[in-house]
Amino acid sequence: MLHLQKIVSFLIMVFLVLSLVGIPLVVQAGDRPKLIVQITVDALRGDLLSRYENVLGEGGFRYLMNKGILYSNAHYRHANTETIVGHVSLATGTVPAAHGMVGNVWFDREQGRLVYNIEDADYRLLTTGADVDKETEIDPTQRAAKVDGRSPNNILTSTFSDELAVHFAGQSKIFAVSVKDRGAVSMAGHAGKAFWFSKQSGEFVTSNYYFEEYPDWVEQWNARKLAQTYAGKSWELLHPAERYLFGDADDRAYETDFPGFGRTFPHAYGKADDKYFTTRLTLGPAGDELTLDFASTLLEKEQLGQDDIPDYLAISFSTTDYVGHVFGASSLESEDNIAHLDRTLAKLFATIDERVGLENTLIVLSADHGQPEVPGHLQERGIDNAFYFDVDALDKTPAIAALKKRFGVGEELIEAYFQPYLYLNHELIREKKLDLAEVEAAIVSELKKFKGVAYAVSSSALQLGNLPDTRMVRSIRKNFHAKRSGDIYLVFEPNVFINDFDGLTVASTHGSPWRYDTFVPVMFAGAGLPAATVNRPVTPYDIAPTLAAVLGIKPPSGSIGNPLVEVLKQ
Ligand SMILES: [Zn+2]
């Protein structure tokens, strides 16, 4: 009897503890949202919304900022703040060391080549002629892919969307949409369906990992040729120039003068048969508008949120990232893009309200990474220690040449550099009977002497573990995966980065462990949530376990984040 009492009081205690941290033990069907909408704004740095608040209207970002819970102090903790890394971290609630997506591109030692994160030779695109066009593709990571097939098979841990599919026995409808293939494939997870924009065909496409043939509504949407309707149109300012912080700073020499798009408003999308027409659409608000139209059609045609089984729709808006690369975070284009995206979101929220009801929908918005300032912009403010790093120069310096001589090897010692890793030629090192760790250590000590290099560390040293316990080392460790990480992780000083990609020069490149690249907004709204601003430090890895806790399902397999108590307390 006493024993039983103990068990009962223990259970009561467990229940109280769980109630205190807000994890519901049982979630009734009537209490849970019918639809989860996870929005990712590619490269939306954490400060940009408040900075550009003056150009925001009603019902878009303001709905999230004023009616929802805004976490104003969210940072990633992994070092390589790139698109696939951030998206998969949002989807899985964990770091690349666990989910395995260590970079947009890594060197596959079995294949002996650089691979693109989601390329998969076992699959193919459903649309022929929709593959990446290597001649016109401006994304250097996309050009690394050798096949047109795409799948989530390289993602090693489960996503929230996977857990949703498993928990509800496949009855949840799960979709992800983005201009970027990796923006959609990441969020759909292994169990959902992904669609992305093909610049080659101007259509939304998918691979036969997801479908054997397109649903009718997708064929009908593509037949509308919505992208073509932008022919002859331009990206124009939404408001009078005086309303903008950067209203009198449109023309800046450090902005990229992309062919036919120019550095100043209006930015012409050009003719439909121009080889860069669809690329220009992605560099302006048109890319996000097309994504919205496709996602809204999906919401309607797939009947999302219409029954008690929760559905999931992920939308990743890519334009903010392209605008950052081409014009910089501090530009009239960046500011006006936020104004346009704000209108796009307002339309999305109105559609959700009409079809499902915002009270039945839990919306979460975050970003896959932040973005840096353009060195030229910082120099205008008198900040001079900002510059572009010439990575090709590394291999040509006397110091590296001396190293090669010391180890008795030629040009081929460094196999490849692709952000953030340097890959050494292991075969050559074996052949010459050299010690890999010793070669790595010698290169690391030379690299650290370069102007603009903040830190370099070898994977051997990381695995040995006798490194200082700094934020930098911890962030690189969180990025380390034994099979995929390169031999040496290279970190540049703040505001120093590579901007030349096979001849294409851009104004800025994100991907560093510095605060401007790790800082993102995290916002939850809808589903009866109260308005609040939370300044406590949180991470984007908290999002997936929070969504799981809201539904009372298990967190993704590798999740390290914690459910956000403010979202669970209702
Ligand atoms: Zn990105």
Side-chain angles (χ1 to χ4, degrees):
M1 197 59 196
L2 191 69
H3 193 62
L4 187 69
Q5 266 180 345
K6 270 187 183 168
I7 292 174
V8 169
S9 55
F10 174 73
L11 286 176
I12 290 171
M13 200 186 73
V14 167
F15 182 80
L16 285 175
V17 168
L18 288 176
S19 324
L20 274 178
V21 298
I23 299 173
L25 290 176
V26 181
V27 178
Q28 303 288 342
D31 299 340
R32 67 188 177 216
K34 292 171 185 290
L35 176 65
I36 309 257
V37 174
Q38 181 160 19
I39 300 165
T40 309
V41 178
D42 205 305
L44 183 65
R45 201 175 61 201
D47 63 315
L48 293 182
L49 293 181
S50 57
R51 185 190 199 186
Y52 296 146
E53 200 169 3
N54 198 35
V55 299
L56 301 180
E58 291 303 319
F61 282 117
R62 280 187 202 278
Y63 167 67
L64 302 173
M65 294 158 85
N66 301 340
K67 302 269 172 67
I69 303 174
L70 163 65
Y71 293 90
S72 62
N73 188 11
H75 284 267
Y76 283 101
R77 293 189 179 160
H78 57 259
N80 189 24
T81 47
E82 288 191 307
T83 296
I84 190 65
V85 191
H87 275 87
V88 176
S89 298
L90 287 167
T92 61
T94 192
V95 291
H99 64 59
M101 307 304 271
V102 298
N104 280 339
V105 165
W106 62 82
F107 190 85
D108 183 312
R109 296 230 172 251
E110 267 170 38
Q111 297 184 54
R113 67 174 181 91
L114 290 166
V115 295
Y116 177 61
N117 55 84
I118 51 166
E119 70 170 288
D120 189 335
D122 291 339
Y123 298 95
R124 58 174 175 78
L125 282 184
L126 275 195
T127 308
T128 47
D131 191 13
V132 171
D133 179 348
K134 298 215 170 159
E135 191 216 338
T136 55
E137 180 55 63
I138 58 167
D139 180 340
T141 73
Q142 289 265 20
R143 289 199 300 262
K146 286 280 180 293
V147 296
D148 71 352
R150 298 287 183 268
S151 87
N153 282 341
N154 282 333
I155 303 172
L156 303 176
T157 58
S158 73
T159 58
F160 164 72
S161 50
D162 290 342
E163 297 299 337
L164 190 61
V166 170
H167 185 91
F168 291 101
Q171 295 177 68
S172 288
K173 295 167 185 163
I174 298 168
F175 291 94
V177 178
S178 178
V179 154
K180 292 183 182 179
D181 52 8
R182 58 188 181 275
V185 170
S186 50
M187 307 310 290
H190 306 81
K193 310 278 190 198
F195 294 101
W196 58 92
F197 184 67
S198 161
K199 290 181 218 170
Q200 184 77 304
S201 70
E203 299 172 333
F204 274 84
V205 300
T206 191
S207 88
N208 67 341
Y209 174 88
Y210 303 100
F211 291 96
E212 283 311 314
E213 55 186 46
Y214 285 107
D216 287 344
W217 69 264
V218 176
E219 294 205 335
Q220 285 156 14
W221 191 92
N222 282 329
R224 281 170 58 205
K225 302 215 172 296
L226 195 61
Q228 315 297 316
T229 63
Y230 286 90
K233 293 187 181 162
S234 296
W235 170 13
E236 291 176 33
L237 283 180
L238 192 66
H239 306 296
E242 312 81 72
R243 189 161 159 188
Y244 295 83
L245 182 62
F246 290 102
D248 61 355
D250 189 5
D251 192 11
R252 284 292 181 272
Y254 49 75
E255 295 178 348
T256 306
D257 190 0
F258 187 78
F261 208 49
R263 292 204 313 248
T264 54
F265 281 92
H267 295 280
Y269 292 125
K271 291 186 188 153
D273 60 357
D274 184 306
K275 66 175 180 174
Y276 285 122
F277 170 65
T278 50
T279 302
R280 288 188 208 108
L281 297 183
T282 66
L283 302 182
D288 288 345
E289 288 162 11
L290 289 167
T291 306
L292 167 75
D293 196 284
F294 188 84
S296 301
T297 307
L298 190 161
L299 186 79
E300 180 200 334
K301 300 294 183 185
E302 295 287 348
Q303 298 278 307
L304 299 190
Q306 300 303 310
D307 58 31
D308 282 343
I309 305 286
D311 298 327
Y312 175 81
L313 174 62
I315 310 172
S316 177
F317 291 106
S318 307
T319 298
T320 304
D321 177 75
Y322 291 122
V323 169
H325 284 293
V326 172
F327 302 102
S330 298
S331 63
L332 185 56
E333 284 81 3
S334 171
E335 189 172 10
D336 186 58
N337 167 60
I338 295 295
H340 279 278
L341 177 57
D342 180 56
R343 294 301 82 212
T344 297
L345 288 181
K347 281 182 198 149
L348 173 66
F349 298 156
T351 303
I352 292 170
D353 199 24
E354 191 187 312
R355 299 207 62 83
V356 186
L358 288 171
E359 69 283 5
N360 298 317
T361 306
L362 178 61
I363 298 172
V364 55
L365 183 146
S366 190
D368 54 343
H369 48 78
Q371 50 176 304
E373 294 295 334
V374 177
H377 176 74
L378 292 175
Q379 285 156 15
E380 284 177 354
R381 303 277 82 78
I383 301 166
D384 289 333
N385 58 352
F387 58 90
Y388 298 125
F389 191 91
D390 178 10
V391 78
D392 292 334
L394 273 183
D395 205 31
K396 296 185 188 95
T397 57
I400 298 289
L403 269 182
K404 287 176 177 171
K405 207 172 157 197
R406 176 180 145 200
F407 290 116
V409 294
E411 280 308 305
E412 62 281 23
L413 177 63
I414 296 174
E415 186 104 52
Y417 172 79
F418 213 105
Q419 183 176 314
Y421 293 107
L422 209 65
Y423 299 86
L424 304 182
N425 188 334
H426 288 193
E427 214 170 301
L428 180 75
I429 288 168
R430 265 195 304 271
E431 219 171 82
K432 299 272 177 188
K433 298 199 168 43
L434 299 171
D435 180 61
L436 176 64
E438 200 185 316
V439 177
E440 285 177 353
I443 295 176
V444 162
S445 71
E446 285 308 322
L447 287 175
K448 283 180 174 170
K449 294 177 193 163
F450 276 89
K451 181 174 186 271
V453 171
Y455 192 68
V457 63
S458 74
S459 288
S460 306
L462 273 185
Q463 283 171 297
L464 274 175
N466 56 347
L467 293 166
D469 186 30
T470 58
R471 196 178 79 84
M472 174 86 77
V473 170
R474 287 197 297 275
S475 73
I476 296 172
R477 229 185 261 293
K478 288 184 173 67
N479 219 90
F480 178 73
H481 187 273
K483 282 188 197 150
R484 296 179 184 171
S485 287
D487 297 294
I488 295 167
Y489 197 111
L490 191 55
V491 180
F492 301 108
E493 297 284 3
N495 305 317
V496 175
F497 40 80
I498 297 162
N499 82 321
D500 186 335
F501 301 95
D502 303 333
L504 173 81
T505 56
V506 295
S508 83
T509 315
H510 56 83
S512 81
W514 302 113
R515 289 301 206 183
Y516 48 75
D517 280 343
T518 60
F519 186 26
V520 294
V522 171
M523 298 190 262
F524 284 82
L529 287 181
T533 297
V534 181
N535 303 310
R536 173 169 56 84
V538 300
T539 71
Y541 318 113
D542 296 333
I543 292 173
T546 301
L547 295 177
V550 165
L551 298 185
I553 73 177
K554 68 184 193 296
S557 56
S559 162
I560 59 157
N562 298 305
L564 295 162
V565 291
E566 296 81 1
V567 180
L568 301 177
K569 238 190 285 168
Q570 284 181 58

